[in-house]
Amino acid sequence: MIMGSVQFGVVALAVLARWTSAGWFLLLGVLGTLGLAPLILFGPLIYAGFRAPHAAWPLLVLADVLLLITALTLADGGDNGMLIPILDDQKANSNTGELVHRIGTLTGATYLLALAVLTVWMLAA
């Protein structure tokens, strides 16, 4: 029960971080899929928070950290260039922004892998 509440908080923080640099990709991802994309990305994490055994909690914490790093570093496309929550507009459209975006892409892919492993673990338990 405690870890489920933590997952709600982590997802809320990730959504708030992404909302600070909302661009076209975010709008298309949410509106274009009628909210299905966020449900697929966050739903299993919240469900696992309530149903996962204590042995799976380290994997949940890893997924939480990866999700928050991804939310803060993944670039979104805006009318005037990249939008990254932890960088201002000038830095986001420089080499630093490209490096931060690569980090966000890598942590996002790793988050999806951790989510898949967590889902398999939940189905097996």
Side-chain angles (χ1 to χ4, degrees), residues 5-112:
S5 301
V6 169
Q7 299 314 307
F8 270 119
V10 168
V11 167
L13 286 174
V15 168
L16 285 173
R18 291 311 309 162
W19 199 255
T20 61
S21 65
W24 290 111
F25 298 138
L26 180 68
L27 285 170
L28 291 175
V30 174
L31 297 177
T33 63
L34 300 176
L36 190 59
L39 182 66
I40 291 170
L41 290 174
F42 303 137
L45 187 65
I46 293 172
Y47 178 75
F50 285 105
R51 306 301 273 171
H54 290 289
W57 283 18
L59 185 58
L60 275 167
V61 170
L62 174 68
D64 292 344
V65 169
L66 291 169
L67 177 62
L68 290 174
I69 291 171
T70 301
L72 290 170
T73 59
L74 194 65
D76 200 349
D79 290 335
N80 296 324
M82 292 195 307
L83 301 170
I84 301 175
I86 61 171
L87 297 176
D88 61 3
D89 292 341
Q90 185 178 4
K91 286 252 188 197
N93 292 308
S94 67
N95 290 338
T96 304
E98 290 178 21
L99 178 64
V100 170
H101 175 63
R102 284 187 196 138
I103 292 169
T105 303
L106 180 64
T107 57
T110 309
Y111 166 73
L112 292 176

